[in-house]
Amino acid sequence: STQSTWDYQKKMNINKMEADQKKAQKFMKAGNSHLNTHIFKWKPNYIEAAPKFMEASTLFENVGQFDLAIQCYEKLALCHEKLDDLQGAADAYNKIGFIIMDRKRDPNAAHQYLIKSVNLFKIHGNSLKAQEMLKKLGKRCFEQHFEELGAQIYNSLIDEIFEDQNYGTGCEIIPE
């Protein structure tokens, strides 16, 4: 009885994952169609595409399709940049960076996306959020034994704090 209950739950989870994957593919296709141009549609519709890519990226991430999630987050970031929503673009690049860091364990690639995120947060006027992202990435690097990159990131965090004269967060740099 316990085994059959467990088998039933497992089957339901697999069915849900398959359904979510199909939904994600539909959202991605819809987002791409909003970005495509043709003879009667001269400009991409970034406003309509952004929520489609957001849904697709979240669903792909939930079902473990990380490469497709990254593709959708990249397109989401593009949409936000074209709409001058730098906060939204920064959030999308941030998600890409941490997916790469946690799932692919490629800290250098993650660092590139997170630097984009940090720069967009700074341009948007949110230097505290930028510093928070640097702190989080540095901590992740140390946790995953990429000490050299972690130290480099903490050094750039210290530079950011002094550049912005934001000394109040200085005591929180080193992770617990």
Side-chain angles (χ1 to χ4, degrees), residues 13-31 52 55-65 68 72:
N13 285 341
I14 290 171
N15 289 342
K16 182 178 179 351
M17 285 180 65
E18 288 172 353
D20 284 351
Q21 189 169 353
K22 286 180 184 175
K23 270 197 261 182
Q25 289 169 345
K26 285 180 184 177
F27 280 118
M28 186 170 88
K29 184 177 179 182
K52 305 295 184 198
E55 284 292 325
S57 58
T58 303
L59 288 167
F60 279 132
E61 190 175 358
N62 290 344
V63 298
Q65 296 283 324
L68 292 172
C72 290

Side-chain angles (χ1 to χ4, degrees), residues 20-155:
D20 284 351
Q21 189 169 353
K22 286 180 184 175
K23 270 197 261 182
Q25 289 169 345
K26 285 180 184 177
F27 280 118
M28 186 170 88
K29 184 177 179 182
N32 283 327
S33 74
H34 288 298
L35 295 183
N36 292 336
T37 58
H38 50 78
I39 194 164
F40 298 114
K41 183 180 163 209
W42 296 356
K43 293 189 325 186
N45 188 342
Y46 297 108
I47 293 172
E48 293 293 326
K52 305 295 184 198
F53 287 122
M54 183 67 209
E55 284 292 325
S57 58
T58 303
L59 288 167
F60 279 132
E61 190 175 358
N62 290 344
V63 298
Q65 296 283 324
F66 300 110
D67 290 333
L68 292 172
I70 289 169
Q71 286 178 23
C72 290
Y73 278 123
E74 286 174 334
K75 289 183 180 182
L76 176 63
L78 170 76
C79 291
H80 284 299
E81 285 183 70
K82 294 292 186 179
L83 295 169
D84 290 326
D85 177 11
L86 300 182
Q87 177 80 31
D91 287 335
Y93 286 128
N94 185 46
K95 289 290 282 182
I96 294 169
F98 282 107
I99 289 172
I100 291 172
M101 185 70 180
D102 293 340
R103 303 298 177 190
K104 296 181 174 278
R105 296 186 49 82
D106 184 352
N108 292 316
H111 186 238
Q112 296 305 312
Y113 280 104
L114 289 165
I115 289 302
K116 280 185 183 181
S117 175
V118 165
N119 289 335
L120 288 171
F121 280 129
K122 285 171 48 180
I123 291 168
H124 186 259
N126 197 343
S127 62
L128 288 177
K129 182 79 171 175
Q131 292 168 15
E132 180 184 316
M133 291 303 103
L134 285 171
K135 178 183 173 188
K136 194 173 177 183
L137 177 62
K139 182 177 180 182
R140 247 349 123 77
C141 285
F142 278 106
E143 289 171 353
Q144 295 183 10
H145 306 292
F146 299 110
E147 289 85 5
E148 188 175 318
L149 183 59
Q152 197 178 18
I153 291 166
Y154 279 138
N155 283 334

